[in-house]
Amino acid sequence: MLSNASKYAIRSVLFLAKNSSKENKYGAKSISDELEIPLHFIAKLLQQLVKANVISSSKGPRGGFYTTTNDLNNNVCTILDEIEAGDVFEPCFMGLPQCGDENPCPVHHIVAPFKEAILEKFKHQSIADFAIEIKEDGTFLSLKGIDKK
Amino acid sequence: MLSNASKYAIRSVLFLAKNSSKENKYGAKSISDELEIPLHFIAKLLQQLVKANVISSSKGPRGGFYTTTNDLNNNVCTILDEIEAGDVFEPCFMGLPQCGDENPCPVHHIVAPFKEAILEKFKHQSIADFAIEIKEDGTFLSLKGIDKK
DNA sequence: GCATATAAAGATAATTTAGTCTTTTATTTA
DNA sequence: TAAATAAAAGACTAAATTATCTTTATATGC
């Protein structure tokens, strides 16, 4: 459903939202290490997100990527709009060109509520709120070094 | 989540399950037309499914693809096992290598129930039952010629 | 001001997925 | 038995996605 690029981008932004500040920046290298994402790939994506004002950056020693309180007003869909070509959630799960409530594919009744739920989160929850939730719930953006049960 | 190949294959098999019989076969061309799938692409997939005993075929005039009652005992996951490399539903929505109930990503609680629901259908409902349900519910495998609302 | 660290930019390469084309083989029917 | 039809098989092409590499620009600290 999401491309690797989108997954990488979302996790990176949420990571910065959770951990960074103007005084505490993260270089592409450390994000790459922390989230186990190919360095040059995530570097590209981060650049793109800076240009789109989703995150911020500064060059030079002690430079890196970070989020401002203003950046945090965005939501996850802002990221997707930047990375993906079209609407990621529009295409029918079974590939029908015009699947919808009126003309449903055989799994529409299962897929539609899921899409709604995820869209609610991605569209209507700010990055800031999402990051707070992640802190509170203790969910993960990386499982580096976590021993699998 | 599903590749085009999988979507094409699933729709084709369900189409045959719903419409075909030993006496009423469908050529690759008519399936391609009916479901609006590239001819040579679906031809390849159908061949693959015949070899895997998911559907049946016969060559020559009045030949084509069809399903036997035995074929119909399969389920959708049988198709996916044939077309896709690994488990389509295993990968985490956010890309975490070991996301699960113990170590959930930030959307695991939304995604997991969906995966369960779709897997229940794809793994535990026979193609036969699925086709019956499609007939009863009037859901669509193709929207060719349906006027969009 | 110089060395260094880091993002920015752009070119290139590799892989996967999607789609097409051609030839061969089997079956049916006249 | 010949002609027609349709699947089977395999080679090939195209496009999208993923990933890498190299160079340039900019800010920092000494």
Side-chain angles (χ1 to χ4, degrees):
Chain A
M1 200 155 269
L2 297 184
S3 63
N4 282 359
S6 290
K7 292 175 181 177
Y8 294 162
I10 293 172
R11 287 203 285 139
S12 297
V13 172
L14 290 175
F15 174 80
L16 290 174
K18 188 182 167 206
N19 300 297
S20 80
S21 69
K22 183 134 197 179
E23 292 74 41
N24 191 22
K25 300 169 191 136
Y26 288 83
K29 181 73 171 61
S30 69
I31 294 173
S32 158
D33 283 347
E34 184 59 35
L35 304 185
E36 300 182 283
I37 298 172
L39 171 58
H40 297 285
F41 199 158
I42 194 57
K44 267 330 183 57
L45 293 171
L46 291 170
Q47 284 172 31
Q48 211 176 329
L49 293 170
V50 169
K51 249 199 290 194
N53 295 308
V54 176
I55 58 175
S56 304
S57 72
S58 72
K59 293 182 180 179
R62 300 200 44 95
F65 300 93
Y66 61 101
T67 45
T68 64
T69 48
N70 196 42
D71 293 335
L72 297 177
N73 290 327
N74 288 300
N75 55 50
V76 172
C77 278
T78 317
I79 304 171
L80 293 180
D81 289 345
E82 200 49 40
I83 306 294
E84 303 275 346
D87 181 347
V88 182
F89 297 107
E90 199 206 293
C92 166
F93 194 80
M94 284 216 160
L96 295 201
Q98 297 291 339
C99 175
D101 292 342
E102 340 75 57
N103 298 125
C105 79
V107 294
H108 182 75
H109 64 291
I110 297 177
V111 177
F114 165 67
K115 283 188 184 173
E116 259 181 67
I118 204 87
L119 258 179
E120 171 63 25
K121 190 163 209 59
F122 282 6
K123 202 170 212 158
H124 299 304
Q125 185 174 40
S126 70
I127 299 279
D129 287 345
F130 203 160
I132 289 170
E133 190 182 278
I134 290 169
K135 283 184 201 171
E136 287 176 350
D137 294 356
T139 55
F140 297 87
L141 293 170
S142 160
L143 288 173
K144 191 184 168 191
I146 301 279
D147 48 334
K148 37 188 159 175
K149 200 167 97 193
Chain B
M1 199 155 270
L2 297 184
S3 63
N4 281 1
S6 290
K7 291 176 181 176
Y8 294 163
I10 293 172
R11 286 202 286 140
S12 297
V13 172
L14 290 175
F15 173 80
L16 289 174
K18 188 183 167 205
N19 300 297
S20 79
S21 69
K22 182 133 195 180
E23 292 73 41
N24 191 23
K25 301 171 190 132
Y26 288 83
K29 181 72 169 60
S30 69
I31 296 174
S32 158
D33 284 347
E34 184 60 35
L35 303 185
E36 301 184 282
I37 298 171
L39 171 58
H40 298 285
F41 200 157
I42 194 58
K44 266 335 188 51
L45 294 170
L46 292 169
Q47 283 172 33
Q48 211 177 330
L49 294 170
V50 169
K51 250 200 288 195
N53 294 308
V54 176
I55 57 175
S56 304
S57 72
S58 72
K59 292 183 179 179
R62 300 198 45 94
F65 300 93
Y66 61 100
T67 44
T68 64
T69 48
N70 196 43
D71 293 334
L72 297 177
N73 290 327
N74 288 300
N75 54 52
V76 171
C77 277
T78 317
I79 304 171
L80 293 179
D81 289 346
E82 201 49 40
I83 305 294
E84 303 274 346
D87 182 347
V88 183
F89 297 107
E90 201 206 292
C92 167
F93 195 80
M94 285 217 159
L96 294 201
Q98 297 291 338
C99 175
D101 291 342
E102 339 76 56
N103 298 126
C105 80
V107 294
H108 181 76
H109 64 290
I110 297 177
V111 177
F114 164 69
K115 283 188 185 175
E116 260 182 66
I118 203 88
L119 258 178
E120 171 64 25
K121 189 161 210 58
F122 282 6
K123 201 170 212 158
H124 298 306
Q125 185 173 41
S126 69
I127 299 279
D129 287 346
F130 203 160
I132 289 169
E133 191 182 276
I134 289 169
K135 282 183 202 173
E136 287 176 350
D137 294 356
T139 55
F140 296 87
L141 293 170
S142 161
L143 288 174
K144 192 185 167 190
I146 301 279
D147 49 334
K148 39 187 157 178
K149 201 170 99 193

PDB file of all heavy atoms in Angstrom, chain A residues 6-35:
ATOM      1  N   SER A   6       7.657   6.097   1.208  1.00  0.00           N
ATOM      2  CA  SER A   6       6.685   6.673   2.138  1.00  0.00           C
ATOM      3  C   SER A   6       6.899   6.170   3.556  1.00  0.00           C
ATOM      4  O   SER A   6       6.848   6.942   4.515  1.00  0.00           O
ATOM      5  CB  SER A   6       5.267   6.321   1.705  1.00  0.00           C
ATOM      6  OG  SER A   6       4.926   6.993   0.532  1.00  0.00           O
ATOM      7  N   LYS A   7       7.115   4.881   3.676  1.00  0.00           N
ATOM      8  CA  LYS A   7       7.340   4.318   5.010  1.00  0.00           C
ATOM      9  C   LYS A   7       8.562   4.960   5.658  1.00  0.00           C
ATOM     10  O   LYS A   7       8.527   5.357   6.832  1.00  0.00           O
ATOM     11  CB  LYS A   7       7.544   2.800   4.915  1.00  0.00           C
ATOM     12  CG  LYS A   7       6.298   2.040   4.512  1.00  0.00           C
ATOM     13  CD  LYS A   7       6.613   0.549   4.332  1.00  0.00           C
ATOM     14  CE  LYS A   7       5.372  -0.226   3.910  1.00  0.00           C
ATOM     15  NZ  LYS A   7       5.665  -1.657   3.659  1.00  0.00           N
ATOM     16  N   TYR A   8       9.631   5.065   4.899  1.00  0.00           N
ATOM     17  CA  TYR A   8      10.848   5.690   5.401  1.00  0.00           C
ATOM     18  C   TYR A   8      10.578   7.131   5.821  1.00  0.00           C
ATOM     19  O   TYR A   8      10.989   7.575   6.900  1.00  0.00           O
ATOM     20  CB  TYR A   8      11.937   5.680   4.320  1.00  0.00           C
ATOM     21  CG  TYR A   8      12.456   4.327   3.910  1.00  0.00           C
ATOM     22  CD1 TYR A   8      13.153   4.172   2.715  1.00  0.00           C
ATOM     23  CD2 TYR A   8      12.274   3.196   4.712  1.00  0.00           C
ATOM     24  CE1 TYR A   8      13.653   2.936   2.316  1.00  0.00           C
ATOM     25  CE2 TYR A   8      12.767   1.961   4.320  1.00  0.00           C
ATOM     26  CZ  TYR A   8      13.458   1.836   3.120  1.00  0.00           C
ATOM     27  OH  TYR A   8      13.952   0.619   2.721  1.00  0.00           O
ATOM     28  N   ALA A   9       9.897   7.854   4.948  1.00  0.00           N
ATOM     29  CA  ALA A   9       9.647   9.271   5.203  1.00  0.00           C
ATOM     30  C   ALA A   9       8.798   9.467   6.453  1.00  0.00           C
ATOM     31  O   ALA A   9       9.118  10.286   7.323  1.00  0.00           O
ATOM     32  CB  ALA A   9       8.974   9.908   3.985  1.00  0.00           C
ATOM     33  N   ILE A  10       7.741   8.697   6.564  1.00  0.00           N
ATOM     34  CA  ILE A  10       6.845   8.839   7.716  1.00  0.00           C
ATOM     35  C   ILE A  10       7.590   8.537   9.009  1.00  0.00           C
ATOM     36  O   ILE A  10       7.517   9.307   9.977  1.00  0.00           O
ATOM     37  CB  ILE A  10       5.626   7.889   7.582  1.00  0.00           C
ATOM     38  CG1 ILE A  10       4.736   8.321   6.423  1.00  0.00           C
ATOM     39  CG2 ILE A  10       4.829   7.862   8.883  1.00  0.00           C
ATOM     40  CD1 ILE A  10       3.627   7.335   6.089  1.00  0.00           C
ATOM     41  N   ARG A  11       8.316   7.432   9.021  1.00  0.00           N
ATOM     42  CA  ARG A  11       9.039   7.080  10.245  1.00  0.00           C
ATOM     43  C   ARG A  11      10.072   8.138  10.609  1.00  0.00           C
ATOM     44  O   ARG A  11      10.247   8.494  11.774  1.00  0.00           O
ATOM     45  CB  ARG A  11       9.694   5.703  10.094  1.00  0.00           C
ATOM     46  CG  ARG A  11       8.684   4.564  10.146  1.00  0.00           C
ATOM     47  CD  ARG A  11       9.357   3.271  10.549  1.00  0.00           C
ATOM     48  NE  ARG A  11      10.143   2.693   9.469  1.00  0.00           N
ATOM     49  CZ  ARG A  11      11.338   2.126   9.626  1.00  0.00           C
ATOM     50  NH1 ARG A  11      11.900   2.063  10.828  1.00  0.00           N
ATOM     51  NH2 ARG A  11      11.972   1.625   8.583  1.00  0.00           N
ATOM     52  N   SER A  12      10.726   8.686   9.599  1.00  0.00           N
ATOM     53  CA  SER A  12      11.748   9.706   9.868  1.00  0.00           C
ATOM     54  C   SER A  12      11.137  10.966  10.447  1.00  0.00           C
ATOM     55  O   SER A  12      11.665  11.528  11.413  1.00  0.00           O
ATOM     56  CB  SER A  12      12.494  10.046   8.578  1.00  0.00           C
ATOM     57  OG  SER A  12      13.179   8.920   8.087  1.00  0.00           O
ATOM     58  N   VAL A  13      10.041  11.399   9.859  1.00  0.00           N
ATOM     59  CA  VAL A  13       9.405  12.626  10.348  1.00  0.00           C
ATOM     60  C   VAL A  13       8.911  12.430  11.771  1.00  0.00           C
ATOM     61  O   VAL A  13       9.117  13.290  12.639  1.00  0.00           O
ATOM     62  CB  VAL A  13       8.256  13.065   9.418  1.00  0.00           C
ATOM     63  CG1 VAL A  13       7.490  14.221  10.035  1.00  0.00           C
ATOM     64  CG2 VAL A  13       8.781  13.443   8.040  1.00  0.00           C
ATOM     65  N   LEU A  14       8.291  11.296  12.025  1.00  0.00           N
ATOM     66  CA  LEU A  14       7.791  11.041  13.376  1.00  0.00           C
ATOM     67  C   LEU A  14       8.947  10.927  14.360  1.00  0.00           C
ATOM     68  O   LEU A  14       8.848  11.381  15.512  1.00  0.00           O
ATOM     69  CB  LEU A  14       6.925   9.772  13.392  1.00  0.00           C
ATOM     70  CG  LEU A  14       5.577   9.887  12.672  1.00  0.00           C
ATOM     71  CD1 LEU A  14       4.853   8.546  12.652  1.00  0.00           C
ATOM     72  CD2 LEU A  14       4.689  10.947  13.335  1.00  0.00           C
ATOM     73  N   PHE A  15      10.032  10.353  13.891  1.00  0.00           N
ATOM     74  CA  PHE A  15      11.221  10.266  14.745  1.00  0.00           C
ATOM     75  C   PHE A  15      11.728  11.655  15.123  1.00  0.00           C
ATOM     76  O   PHE A  15      12.015  11.943  16.291  1.00  0.00           O
ATOM     77  CB  PHE A  15      12.325   9.488  14.021  1.00  0.00           C
ATOM     78  CG  PHE A  15      13.634   9.469  14.759  1.00  0.00           C
ATOM     79  CD1 PHE A  15      13.840   8.588  15.808  1.00  0.00           C
ATOM     80  CD2 PHE A  15      14.657  10.343  14.396  1.00  0.00           C
ATOM     81  CE1 PHE A  15      15.055   8.581  16.492  1.00  0.00           C
ATOM     82  CE2 PHE A  15      15.865  10.343  15.082  1.00  0.00           C
ATOM     83  CZ  PHE A  15      16.068   9.459  16.136  1.00  0.00           C
ATOM     84  N   LEU A  16      11.803  12.524  14.130  1.00  0.00           N
ATOM     85  CA  LEU A  16      12.244  13.900  14.404  1.00  0.00           C
ATOM     86  C   LEU A  16      11.246  14.613  15.304  1.00  0.00           C
ATOM     87  O   LEU A  16      11.635  15.342  16.229  1.00  0.00           O
ATOM     88  CB  LEU A  16      12.423  14.663  13.086  1.00  0.00           C
ATOM     89  CG  LEU A  16      13.608  14.219  12.224  1.00  0.00           C
ATOM     90  CD1 LEU A  16      13.601  14.953  10.883  1.00  0.00           C
ATOM     91  CD2 LEU A  16      14.935  14.460  12.950  1.00  0.00           C
ATOM     92  N   ALA A  17       9.966  14.385  15.046  1.00  0.00           N
ATOM     93  CA  ALA A  17       8.931  15.030  15.859  1.00  0.00           C
ATOM     94  C   ALA A  17       9.057  14.594  17.320  1.00  0.00           C
ATOM     95  O   ALA A  17       8.871  15.386  18.240  1.00  0.00           O
ATOM     96  CB  ALA A  17       7.542  14.677  15.327  1.00  0.00           C
ATOM     97  N   LYS A  18       9.397  13.355  17.498  1.00  0.00           N
ATOM     98  CA  LYS A  18       9.484  12.801  18.849  1.00  0.00           C
ATOM     99  C   LYS A  18      10.770  13.247  19.550  1.00  0.00           C
ATOM    100  O   LYS A  18      10.774  13.476  20.751  1.00  0.00           O
ATOM    101  CB  LYS A  18       9.435  11.268  18.756  1.00  0.00           C
ATOM    102  CG  LYS A  18       9.321  10.541  20.078  1.00  0.00           C
ATOM    103  CD  LYS A  18       9.321   9.031  19.860  1.00  0.00           C
ATOM    104  CE  LYS A  18       9.530   8.293  21.171  1.00  0.00           C
ATOM    105  NZ  LYS A  18      10.132   6.963  20.967  1.00  0.00           N
ATOM    106  N   ASN A  19      11.855  13.371  18.794  1.00  0.00           N
ATOM    107  CA  ASN A  19      13.165  13.534  19.420  1.00  0.00           C
ATOM    108  C   ASN A  19      13.911  14.846  19.163  1.00  0.00           C
ATOM    109  O   ASN A  19      14.770  15.211  19.958  1.00  0.00           O
ATOM    110  CB  ASN A  19      14.085  12.383  18.970  1.00  0.00           C
ATOM    111  CG  ASN A  19      13.540  11.028  19.357  1.00  0.00           C
ATOM    112  OD1 ASN A  19      13.393  10.713  20.527  1.00  0.00           O
ATOM    113  ND2 ASN A  19      13.202  10.226  18.366  1.00  0.00           N
ATOM    114  N   SER A  20      13.628  15.492  18.068  1.00  0.00           N
ATOM    115  CA  SER A  20      14.484  16.620  17.690  1.00  0.00           C
ATOM    116  C   SER A  20      13.963  17.955  18.187  1.00  0.00           C
ATOM    117  O   SER A  20      12.834  18.082  18.650  1.00  0.00           O
ATOM    118  CB  SER A  20      14.605  16.684  16.165  1.00  0.00           C
ATOM    119  OG  SER A  20      13.456  17.295  15.609  1.00  0.00           O
ATOM    120  N   SER A  21      14.808  18.932  18.066  1.00  0.00           N
ATOM    121  CA  SER A  21      14.430  20.324  18.297  1.00  0.00           C
ATOM    122  C   SER A  21      15.483  21.166  17.604  1.00  0.00           C
ATOM    123  O   SER A  21      16.469  20.634  17.096  1.00  0.00           O
ATOM    124  CB  SER A  21      14.421  20.633  19.797  1.00  0.00           C
ATOM    125  OG  SER A  21      15.759  20.619  20.285  1.00  0.00           O
ATOM    126  N   LYS A  22      15.299  22.443  17.601  1.00  0.00           N
ATOM    127  CA  LYS A  22      16.272  23.334  16.967  1.00  0.00           C
ATOM    128  C   LYS A  22      17.665  23.143  17.568  1.00  0.00           C
ATOM    129  O   LYS A  22      18.676  23.312  16.905  1.00  0.00           O
ATOM    130  CB  LYS A  22      15.825  24.793  17.133  1.00  0.00           C
ATOM    131  CG  LYS A  22      16.733  25.794  16.453  1.00  0.00           C
ATOM    132  CD  LYS A  22      15.962  26.835  15.654  1.00  0.00           C
ATOM    133  CE  LYS A  22      16.885  27.545  14.666  1.00  0.00           C
ATOM    134  NZ  LYS A  22      16.185  28.541  13.845  1.00  0.00           N
ATOM    135  N   GLU A  23      17.687  22.777  18.841  1.00  0.00           N
ATOM    136  CA  GLU A  23      18.964  22.597  19.535  1.00  0.00           C
ATOM    137  C   GLU A  23      19.474  21.159  19.438  1.00  0.00           C
ATOM    138  O   GLU A  23      20.574  20.855  19.860  1.00  0.00           O
ATOM    139  CB  GLU A  23      18.832  22.953  21.026  1.00  0.00           C
ATOM    140  CG  GLU A  23      18.586  24.430  21.281  1.00  0.00           C
ATOM    141  CD  GLU A  23      17.164  24.835  20.915  1.00  0.00           C
ATOM    142  OE1 GLU A  23      16.227  24.060  21.207  1.00  0.00           O
ATOM    143  OE2 GLU A  23      16.985  25.910  20.294  1.00  0.00           O
ATOM    144  N   ASN A  24      18.632  20.299  18.948  1.00  0.00           N
ATOM    145  CA  ASN A  24      18.987  18.879  18.945  1.00  0.00           C
ATOM    146  C   ASN A  24      18.660  18.261  17.585  1.00  0.00           C
ATOM    147  O   ASN A  24      17.615  17.647  17.416  1.00  0.00           O
ATOM    148  CB  ASN A  24      18.226  18.170  20.068  1.00  0.00           C
ATOM    149  CG  ASN A  24      18.731  16.759  20.296  1.00  0.00           C
ATOM    150  OD1 ASN A  24      19.873  16.435  19.937  1.00  0.00           O
ATOM    151  ND2 ASN A  24      17.887  15.904  20.840  1.00  0.00           N
ATOM    152  N   LYS A  25      19.596  18.467  16.674  1.00  0.00           N
ATOM    153  CA  LYS A  25      19.347  18.010  15.305  1.00  0.00           C
ATOM    154  C   LYS A  25      19.877  16.606  15.080  1.00  0.00           C
ATOM    155  O   LYS A  25      20.721  16.122  15.815  1.00  0.00           O
ATOM    156  CB  LYS A  25      20.008  18.983  14.328  1.00  0.00           C
ATOM    157  CG  LYS A  25      19.478  20.391  14.452  1.00  0.00           C
ATOM    158  CD  LYS A  25      20.339  21.370  13.658  1.00  0.00           C
ATOM    159  CE  LYS A  25      19.966  22.800  14.015  1.00  0.00           C
ATOM    160  NZ  LYS A  25      21.158  23.640  14.209  1.00  0.00           N
ATOM    161  N   TYR A  26      19.387  15.997  14.029  1.00  0.00           N
ATOM    162  CA  TYR A  26      19.818  14.653  13.658  1.00  0.00           C
ATOM    163  C   TYR A  26      20.307  14.654  12.211  1.00  0.00           C
ATOM    164  O   TYR A  26      19.582  15.092  11.321  1.00  0.00           O
ATOM    165  CB  TYR A  26      18.684  13.645  13.817  1.00  0.00           C
ATOM    166  CG  TYR A  26      18.360  13.350  15.263  1.00  0.00           C
ATOM    167  CD1 TYR A  26      17.522  14.191  16.000  1.00  0.00           C
ATOM    168  CD2 TYR A  26      18.919  12.252  15.904  1.00  0.00           C
ATOM    169  CE1 TYR A  26      17.240  13.926  17.336  1.00  0.00           C
ATOM    170  CE2 TYR A  26      18.638  11.976  17.235  1.00  0.00           C
ATOM    171  CZ  TYR A  26      17.798  12.816  17.943  1.00  0.00           C
ATOM    172  OH  TYR A  26      17.534  12.560  19.257  1.00  0.00           O
ATOM    173  N   GLY A  27      21.509  14.164  12.013  1.00  0.00           N
ATOM    174  CA  GLY A  27      22.039  14.047  10.654  1.00  0.00           C
ATOM    175  C   GLY A  27      21.408  12.880   9.920  1.00  0.00           C
ATOM    176  O   GLY A  27      20.859  11.965  10.543  1.00  0.00           O
ATOM    177  N   ALA A  28      21.486  12.929   8.602  1.00  0.00           N
ATOM    178  CA  ALA A  28      20.947  11.836   7.794  1.00  0.00           C
ATOM    179  C   ALA A  28      21.545  10.502   8.244  1.00  0.00           C
ATOM    180  O   ALA A  28      20.842   9.498   8.341  1.00  0.00           O
ATOM    181  CB  ALA A  28      21.250  12.078   6.320  1.00  0.00           C
ATOM    182  N   LYS A  29      22.847  10.548   8.548  1.00  0.00           N
ATOM    183  CA  LYS A  29      23.526   9.325   8.972  1.00  0.00           C
ATOM    184  C   LYS A  29      22.906   8.721  10.227  1.00  0.00           C
ATOM    185  O   LYS A  29      22.678   7.510  10.303  1.00  0.00           O
ATOM    186  CB  LYS A  29      25.009   9.639   9.222  1.00  0.00           C
ATOM    187  CG  LYS A  29      25.854   8.444   9.655  1.00  0.00           C
ATOM    188  CD  LYS A  29      26.109   7.495   8.497  1.00  0.00           C
ATOM    189  CE  LYS A  29      27.131   6.416   8.834  1.00  0.00           C
ATOM    190  NZ  LYS A  29      26.725   5.544   9.959  1.00  0.00           N
ATOM    191  N   SER A  30      22.648   9.557  11.222  1.00  0.00           N
ATOM    192  CA  SER A  30      22.135   9.002  12.472  1.00  0.00           C
ATOM    193  C   SER A  30      20.696   8.516  12.309  1.00  0.00           C
ATOM    194  O   SER A  30      20.294   7.514  12.910  1.00  0.00           O
ATOM    195  CB  SER A  30      22.255  10.019  13.603  1.00  0.00           C
ATOM    196  OG  SER A  30      21.365  11.096  13.409  1.00  0.00           O
ATOM    197  N   ILE A  31      19.936   9.193  11.471  1.00  0.00           N
ATOM    198  CA  ILE A  31      18.562   8.727  11.199  1.00  0.00           C
ATOM    199  C   ILE A  31      18.616   7.394  10.466  1.00  0.00           C
ATOM    200  O   ILE A  31      17.885   6.454  10.789  1.00  0.00           O
ATOM    201  CB  ILE A  31      17.791   9.780  10.362  1.00  0.00           C
ATOM    202  CG1 ILE A  31      17.604  11.052  11.194  1.00  0.00           C
ATOM    203  CG2 ILE A  31      16.456   9.231   9.900  1.00  0.00           C
ATOM    204  CD1 ILE A  31      17.002  12.212  10.415  1.00  0.00           C
ATOM    205  N   SER A  32      19.508   7.340   9.489  1.00  0.00           N
ATOM    206  CA  SER A  32      19.705   6.101   8.744  1.00  0.00           C
ATOM    207  C   SER A  32      20.066   4.943   9.668  1.00  0.00           C
ATOM    208  O   SER A  32      19.533   3.834   9.554  1.00  0.00           O
ATOM    209  CB  SER A  32      20.794   6.301   7.692  1.00  0.00           C
ATOM    210  OG  SER A  32      21.368   5.084   7.291  1.00  0.00           O
ATOM    211  N   ASP A  33      20.969   5.206  10.596  1.00  0.00           N
ATOM    212  CA  ASP A  33      21.387   4.180  11.559  1.00  0.00           C
ATOM    213  C   ASP A  33      20.238   3.780  12.475  1.00  0.00           C
ATOM    214  O   ASP A  33      19.937   2.600  12.651  1.00  0.00           O
ATOM    215  CB  ASP A  33      22.541   4.692  12.423  1.00  0.00           C
ATOM    216  CG  ASP A  33      23.860   4.671  11.671  1.00  0.00           C
ATOM    217  OD1 ASP A  33      23.910   4.043  10.592  1.00  0.00           O
ATOM    218  OD2 ASP A  33      24.828   5.294  12.142  1.00  0.00           O
ATOM    219  N   GLU A  34      19.625   4.795  13.048  1.00  0.00           N
ATOM    220  CA  GLU A  34      18.608   4.566  14.067  1.00  0.00           C
ATOM    221  C   GLU A  34      17.402   3.808  13.502  1.00  0.00           C
ATOM    222  O   GLU A  34      16.885   2.893  14.124  1.00  0.00           O
ATOM    223  CB  GLU A  34      18.156   5.914  14.634  1.00  0.00           C
ATOM    224  CG  GLU A  34      17.155   5.817  15.778  1.00  0.00           C
ATOM    225  CD  GLU A  34      17.718   5.028  16.958  1.00  0.00           C
ATOM    226  OE1 GLU A  34      18.938   5.124  17.229  1.00  0.00           O
ATOM    227  OE2 GLU A  34      16.942   4.312  17.600  1.00  0.00           O
ATOM    228  N   LEU A  35      16.961   4.209  12.307  1.00  0.00           N
ATOM    229  CA  LEU A  35      15.747   3.612  11.744  1.00  0.00           C
ATOM    230  C   LEU A  35      16.053   2.508  10.739  1.00  0.00           C
ATOM    231  O   LEU A  35      15.145   1.945  10.123  1.00  0.00           O
ATOM    232  CB  LEU A  35      14.884   4.705  11.091  1.00  0.00           C
ATOM    233  CG  LEU A  35      14.475   5.881  11.987  1.00  0.00           C
ATOM    234  CD1 LEU A  35      13.523   6.811  11.246  1.00  0.00           C
ATOM    235  CD2 LEU A  35      13.805   5.388  13.273  1.00  0.00           C
TER     236      LEU A  35
END
